[in-house]
Amino acid sequence: MALKQVRWVGNSREQIRGFPNDPRREAGYQLDRVQAGKEPADWKPMPSVGLGVAEIRVRDAGGAFRLIYVARFSEAVYVLHAFQKKGRKTPKPDIKLARQRFRDLVQERKRQ
């Protein structure tokens, strides 16, 4: 099976580049699994963001890192947002940003 393309939405690529080395490498590896149609090792669905949206969870000594993506579209895996998580709950601004990017993506796909 061919790997799906990754499409970075907004500044998500720059955000993941700001992760420390180990979490960045692990997030990339897990994203590669998603491209190949497999499940990441640690993930959860994010229905609060949108239908088919999920979150890759990466932990290391430096903290918790998250990558919110949607892989339900045939042409690509869209990375909506990447960030370092500081507390137990995902901050509302991060969910709001991912939700808006998802809505924009759906609208853009409808126009095509």
Side-chain angles (χ1 to χ4, degrees):
M1 178 180 163
L3 290 182
K4 278 189 184 181
Q5 193 178 62
V6 171
R7 294 198 182 145
W8 304 91
V9 181
N11 67 346
S12 57
R13 185 178 220 154
E14 289 75 32
Q15 294 287 61
I16 200 169
R17 284 182 173 156
F19 286 8
N21 282 339
D22 288 346
R24 185 177 67 237
R25 217 176 341 250
E26 182 63 22
Y29 173 72
Q30 297 303 327
L31 191 56
D32 190 61
R33 290 181 55 83
V34 173
Q35 284 180 269
K38 299 176 185 170
E39 281 188 358
D42 188 1
W43 69 282
K44 73 174 196 174
M46 296 291 288
S48 61
V49 174
L51 190 64
V53 177
E55 170 184 78
I56 293 174
R57 303 185 294 191
V58 176
R59 287 190 184 285
D60 88 333
F65 300 86
R66 301 292 186 259
L67 199 121
I68 298 176
Y69 70 94
V70 60
R72 75 174 207 217
F73 304 120
S74 60
E75 73 278 5
V77 175
Y78 292 90
V79 179
L80 301 172
H81 187 36
F83 60 99
Q84 182 172 3
K85 192 169 164 185
K86 304 286 187 187
R88 284 186 49 79
K89 288 187 73 156
T90 302
K92 288 200 186 322
D94 289 306
I95 290 176
K96 189 176 176 184
L97 177 62
R99 186 182 299 136
Q100 187 58 54
R101 288 179 175 174
F102 179 70
R103 284 184 185 144
D104 292 347
L105 172 65
V106 170
Q107 288 302 315
E108 185 181 315
R109 292 181 85 256
K110 283 181 180 174
R111 286 192 295 269
Q112 292 175 354

